[in-house]
Amino acid sequence: MPGIHIVTDSGSDITPADAAALGVTVVPLTIRFGDVEYRDGVDLDVAEFYAKMAELPGLPSTAAPAPGAFIEAFDAAHRAGADGVVCIDLAGKMSATIDAARNA
């Protein structure tokens, strides 16, 4: 698909169906409940997230994706024929996600 490809992180909360329909690539953040890590939207969907919130003590924490996850998304867009990528991420004051994307 020539043209511009959109990449975002899972903090965007775009649904998998909408992402697929629009051709948007979603790079998952990591969500930690205690010592257990999940990839947002991959290993843990919205319903499972809220179920764990109700069941487990304390609040979950998040971690930004590694730059390599963004490199994979950007390379895939290039291989698919994209002329460029627009990457829309969480604000830098909220998350290190945009730094990971910039490093990629």
Side-chain angles (χ1 to χ4, degrees), residues 45-101:
D45 66 24
V46 174
E48 293 166 325
F49 173 83
Y50 285 110
K52 289 190 180 303
M53 287 281 295
E55 295 169 7
L56 300 172
L59 295 173
S61 62
T62 60
F70 284 102
I71 290 171
E72 288 177 23
F74 300 159
D75 285 348
H78 176 72
R79 286 191 305 275
D83 297 318
V85 171
V86 173
C87 188
I88 305 167
D89 296 303
L90 289 167
K93 292 190 183 224
M94 295 175 57
S95 172
T97 302
I98 196 158
D99 292 330

Side-chain angles (χ1 to χ4, degrees), residues 3 9 18 23 31-32 37 70 89 93 96 100:
D9 61 68
D18 286 344
I31 299 174
R32 285 190 201 100
E37 293 186 351
F70 284 102
D89 296 303
K93 292 190 183 224

Side-chain angles (χ1 to χ4, degrees), residues 18-43:
D18 286 344
L22 296 169
V24 173
T25 299
V26 179
V27 177
L29 279 76
T30 298
I31 299 174
R32 285 190 201 100
F33 283 95
D35 294 334
V36 182
E37 293 186 351
Y38 303 91
R39 290 171 296 157
D40 187 21
V42 177
D43 307 316

